[in-house]
Amino acid sequence: YVFNDKYETAQIRVEGKILSGNITSKGDSVIEYEASGNKKILGVYDKHGKARYNVKLSNNTIGQYILSEDSKKLVYVDVNINGISVASSIKLVELKDSAKVVELALKENSLIYEMDLVGTKLTYRTDKDIVQLDINTKREKRSSVEQSGVVSLDLDENKYSYVEFNNGKDLLGGRIIINNNTK
C-alpha cells in the first residue's frame, strides 16, 4: 500500500514473496522479492505505485540496497558464497531506458556490511576498512578499521562515526570515534 500523508494513493502487487522494502524521502520505493522461476528481483516504483524498473539479480543473496534521492541510481551489495569462500560486490544500476548493471567494487574473502549514497559519493564498510568511492570518477579514499574492533558504524555524507571495543575485548570503556577525513 502506498500512502500520501494519511491517505492511500495506490497498491503495489507483486507476484511472489516480498522480502523487504525501502522508500526514499520523495516517496519512490524499492521492493526486494522472489518470483517463481526467477531469482530475486529489485522492483523500483514511483510515489504513485507505478512500476518503473525490475532489476533481475544474478544471485540469490544480496545485502543492502539504496535508491538515490533523485531515483536515477540503484546501488546494491551482491554476495556470492561458494563453499567456504565468500565474495561481495557493489553493483550500480543507472535507471534509464535500458537498466545496465555495472560493478563498482569487488571484495574477495570479505563482506560489505553497510553503505550510504549521497550524490555521487558512495561510502561503504568492509571488515577491514571504510571506503568512500566517487561513482563517476571511480576515485576512492580508504580508512582502515581492521584493528579497531568496530561494534557499530554510522555513515553520513562526508564523515562516519563508530563505536569500538575497549582493547578489542569488551564494550565497557570502549570509545566513539568520529572521522571526517573522507572529504
Side-chain angles (χ1 to χ4, degrees), residues 4-5 8 35 46 50 78 105 143 149-150 153 163 165 172-173 175:
N4 185 0
D5 198 12
E8 180 183 332
D46 68 14
K50 181 180 175 196
D78 185 55
S143 298
V150 174
L153 173 76
V163 176
F165 284 113
L172 291 175
R175 56 188 184 150

Side-chain angles (χ1 to χ4, degrees), residues 29-70:
S29 58
V30 180
I31 297 174
E32 175 189 5
Y33 65 98
E34 289 178 338
S36 61
N38 287 319
K39 294 189 179 219
K40 291 185 182 175
I41 295 173
L42 291 175
V44 180
Y45 301 87
D46 68 14
K47 66 181 179 179
H48 303 292
K50 181 180 175 196
R52 292 184 55 224
Y53 300 96
N54 275 331
V55 179
K56 294 180 181 175
L57 304 174
S58 60
N59 195 351
N60 260 341
T61 308
I62 67 165
Q64 185 179 0
Y65 52 88
I66 299 172
L67 182 62
S68 64
E69 279 303 313
D70 63 2

Side-chain angles (χ1 to χ4, degrees), residues 78 87-90 103-108 110 112 124 142:
D78 185 55
S88 54
S89 61
I90 298 177
E103 185 172 84
L104 293 177
L106 173 63
K107 302 295 176 190
E108 297 286 343
S110 184
I112 296 170
Y124 64 92
R142 296 179 177 278

Side-chain angles (χ1 to χ4, degrees), residues 21-166:
N22 193 333
I23 189 165
T24 68
S25 62
K26 294 182 180 177
D28 295 335
S29 58
V30 180
I31 297 174
E32 175 189 5
Y33 65 98
E34 289 178 338
S36 61
N38 287 319
K39 294 189 179 219
K40 291 185 182 175
I41 295 173
L42 291 175
V44 180
Y45 301 87
D46 68 14
K47 66 181 179 179
H48 303 292
K50 181 180 175 196
R52 292 184 55 224
Y53 300 96
N54 275 331
V55 179
K56 294 180 181 175
L57 304 174
S58 60
N59 195 351
N60 260 341
T61 308
I62 67 165
Q64 185 179 0
Y65 52 88
I66 299 172
L67 182 62
S68 64
E69 279 303 313
D70 63 2
S71 300
K72 294 182 180 180
K73 295 173 183 63
L74 176 65
V75 181
Y76 64 94
V77 177
D78 185 55
V79 180
N80 189 356
I81 301 169
N82 189 1
I84 61 169
S85 67
V86 65
S88 54
S89 61
I90 298 177
K91 309 278 184 158
L92 167 69
V93 183
E94 295 275 353
L95 299 173
K96 298 179 180 176
D97 293 334
S98 62
K100 182 181 172 189
V101 178
V102 176
E103 185 172 84
L104 293 177
L106 173 63
K107 302 295 176 190
E108 297 286 343
N109 299 316
S110 184
L111 289 174
I112 296 170
Y113 294 102
E114 299 167 83
M115 64 179 179
D116 188 32
L117 179 64
V118 177
T120 64
K121 304 284 189 216
L122 175 70
T123 306
Y124 64 92
R125 177 180 89 121
T126 69
D127 39 352
K128 296 180 181 174
D129 53 10
I130 296 172
V131 180
Q132 185 179 62
L133 172 71
D134 186 306
I135 60 177
N136 290 340
T137 66
K138 307 297 187 261
R139 273 199 208 131
E140 58 181 45
K141 191 169 231 178
R142 296 179 177 278
S143 298
S144 176
V145 292
E146 187 172 15
Q147 303 301 321
S148 297
V150 174
V151 177
S152 157
L153 173 76
D154 185 34
L155 303 171
D156 181 32
E157 199 165 335
N158 290 320
K159 58 187 171 291
Y160 61 88
S161 61
Y162 60 92
V163 176
E164 69 178 12
F165 284 113
N166 182 28

Side-chain angles (χ1 to χ4, degrees), residues 2-17:
V2 180
F3 290 89
N4 185 0
D5 198 12
K6 57 185 172 188
Y7 302 101
E8 180 183 332
T9 59
Q11 291 184 16
I12 298 172
R13 295 189 187 272
V14 295
E15 296 295 325
K17 179 181 175 184

